[in-house]
Amino acid sequence: MGKKFAVILACFALVLLNFLVSAAEWETCSGIVPMRYRNDKISITDFGGIGDGRTLNTKAFREAIYRIEHLKRRGGTLLYIPPGVFLTESFNLTSHMTLYLARGAVIKATTDTRNWPLVAPLPSYGRGRERPGGRYISFIHGNGLHDVIITGENGTIDGQGEVWWNMWRQRTLPFTRPSLIEFMNSRGIIISNVIFKNSPFWNIHPVYCSNVVIHYVTILAPADSPNTDGIDPDSSTHVCIEDSYISTGDDLVAVKSGWDEYGIAYGHPSQDITIRRVTGSSPFAGIAIGSENSGGVKDVLAEHINLYNMGVGLHLKTNIGRGGFIKNITMSNIYIENARKGIKISADVGDHPDNKFNPNALPIVKDVKIKDVWGKRIQQPGLIRGLKEAPFTGICLSNINLHPSFGPRNSPWECSHVIGAAVQVSPWPCAELTMAVRTGTCSTYS
């Protein structure tokens, strides 16, 4: 009953959000990838798929996708998943295909981790994100693909992540956990109208990708599930995330670009990222950048965001040894209710993969504009903590009202090693942020 209620609540929140944004403001970037109609259609049942929740359907999925890959029908092929619970091991997608989940369809990951395939660590993470060596392949995976769609009638992809969470908690995890969905080196990807739940690790992870649209999705995981980020664009460009509900155990959306010396060497930034009309809750951050930003992150727009029961509403995070940059970031029209911190921009967040990191690789954080933010029951409105050797510059705050919660735990703004400006901010932020409207990069608050 609780799980059904969570899904109903998620759908209601998304509908409510749709009403809150007027038609005049209803902008979209989803057109960067066209939605394709496939004339050729096959069903998983054509390949022996059985949706009884007990039969293992790995062979059916792999044979169906092999057929799509090798017959190469003009315009691609749609793989239809009918109502039912289709248990399976991990499987790879192919180009020019649509994975379509009907209403009531569930693709469920097996909890038997013994034969889960391993792949090489991502080059921008070097020795491995959680553990040294290989990493478990994502539940649904794609590498070097283009023109791929995952959509349907709000069917469900269930990672059954608890077995993985327990290995992480008990420190018995031999390799980095699998994401639920990962696309590598791919372009022209659409993910829409699907419910994702209980990912072993990050939920949706486009890495080294371009032209990716993720919209009308619901992502669910318990608040205590470790590292179950919602959507993590990573060293990727032209990514559009819109009109979605996310409630997980870690950041709802986190823009990344690799880790310390590995990300610096790989040198592939995340850029041209739009995040719009996302609602959700998490004990960690709502909209985050970093802390793995060593390849650089720039040109990010986040707007019309509604966040509830948060650790931090907006979080830009990096660390000594990261290198890279975070620049040209705009966040606007944000509502935050019940959070430990409203805004946090900090250079002391995140660990290191090994002791090889260069302490002289200092991150650059500049040209960050946060405006039109409203919040209530916020324990601390903001914290901005730069580095003495690399102060944050061009940090511009405008029309921000973050009302405190009642009680003795409320804290004022904290700032250090930051240069910028603040206009119409309540409670008034630190002295480091001047009242001047025109201070270099802070000259525009429109």
Side-chain angles (χ1 to χ4, degrees), residues 1 5 7 19 57 62 94 129-130 134 176 183 190 197 199 222 228 241 253 255 296 348 353 360 363 383 389 410:
M1 186 69 180
F5 178 76
V7 174
F19 280 108
N57 291 278
R62 292 178 181 172
T94 190
R129 179 56 184 79
E130 290 189 300
T176 298
F183 286 98
I190 297 177
K197 60 187 291 188
S199 176
T228 52
I241 301 166
V253 178
V255 184
D348 60 358
N360 295 317
L383 182 151
E389 303 83 357
N410 298 322

Side-chain angles (χ1 to χ4, degrees), residues 10 24 41-42 81 102 140 153 185 195 236 250 267 269 302 314 332 351-352 354 436:
K41 299 179 178 66
I42 58 176
I81 313 301
I140 299 178
E153 305 163 63
N185 307 299
I195 298 168
S236 292
D250 212 310
L314 308 175
S332 68
D351 55 359
H352 301 284
D354 49 43

Side-chain angles (χ1 to χ4, degrees), residues 266-312:
Y266 195 72
H268 198 317
S270 278
Q271 62 186 46
D272 191 14
I273 313 290
T274 301
I275 306 157
R276 186 183 281 133
R277 295 183 299 274
V278 169
T279 296
S281 62
S282 167
F284 286 85
I287 306 302
I289 296 177
S291 65
E292 304 93 335
N293 66 284
S294 300
V297 175
K298 65 179 180 179
D299 304 331
V300 177
L301 171 65
E303 61 181 1
H304 300 297
I305 309 296
N306 290 271
L307 305 171
Y308 302 87
N309 303 320
M310 299 301 307
V312 181

Side-chain angles (χ1 to χ4, degrees), residues 133-154:
R135 62 193 183 102
Y136 292 105
I137 197 169
S138 61
F139 176 48
I140 299 178
H141 192 74
N143 190 358
L145 307 184
H146 56 280
D147 181 23
V148 179
I149 300 170
I150 301 175
T151 190
E153 305 163 63
N154 291 316

Side-chain angles (χ1 to χ4, degrees), residues 335-407:
Y335 178 74
I336 307 169
E337 184 174 318
N338 190 26
R340 293 195 308 274
K341 284 182 174 61
I343 298 167
K344 184 176 180 181
I345 308 174
S346 186
D348 60 358
V349 179
D351 55 359
H352 301 284
D354 49 43
N355 60 8
K356 297 177 184 177
F357 73 91
N358 179 2
N360 295 317
L362 302 178
I364 296 170
V365 178
K366 61 181 292 188
D367 302 339
V368 176
K369 185 182 297 183
I370 302 176
K371 60 182 182 176
D372 303 328
V373 180
W374 179 269
K376 63 181 182 179
R377 298 205 303 276
I378 311 297
Q379 292 179 26
Q380 183 179 32
L383 182 151
I384 305 177
R385 184 177 292 146
L387 295 168
K388 183 178 180 180
E389 303 83 357
F392 299 163
T393 61
I395 308 301
C396 311
L397 309 179
S398 172
N399 190 27
I400 296 173
N401 292 273
L402 295 170
H403 299 286
S405 56
F406 296 103

Side-chain angles (χ1 to χ4, degrees), residues 175-220:
F175 302 100
T176 298
R177 285 173 285 162
S179 296
L180 193 58
I181 307 286
E182 182 177 82
F183 286 98
M184 298 175 56
N185 307 299
S186 298
R187 58 184 171 84
I189 307 298
I190 297 177
I191 302 175
S192 72
N193 299 95
V194 174
I195 298 168
F196 300 90
K197 60 187 291 188
N198 298 329
S199 176
F201 190 49
W202 300 342
N203 274 269
I204 301 175
H205 185 217
V207 57
Y208 321 140
C209 289
S210 64
N211 293 62
V212 178
V213 172
I214 303 167
H215 60 168
Y216 303 115
V217 301
T218 299
I219 302 176
L220 304 172

Side-chain angles (χ1 to χ4, degrees), residues 110-180:
T110 176
T111 57
D112 185 352
T113 66
R114 292 171 297 178
N115 298 317
W116 203 284
L118 291 172
V119 291
L122 292 167
S124 56
Y125 289 86
R127 60 111 211 179
R129 179 56 184 79
E130 290 189 300
R131 300 286 298 157
R135 62 193 183 102
Y136 292 105
I137 197 169
S138 61
F139 176 48
I140 299 178
H141 192 74
N143 190 358
L145 307 184
H146 56 280
D147 181 23
V148 179
I149 300 170
I150 301 175
T151 190
E153 305 163 63
N154 291 316
T156 299
I157 297 176
D158 184 351
Q160 295 213 90
E162 189 168 8
V163 62
W164 299 97
W165 308 335
N166 288 337
M167 281 195 286
W168 182 88
R169 292 169 180 139
Q170 296 159 9
R171 300 188 178 184
T172 59
L173 189 67
F175 302 100
T176 298
R177 285 173 285 162
S179 296
L180 193 58

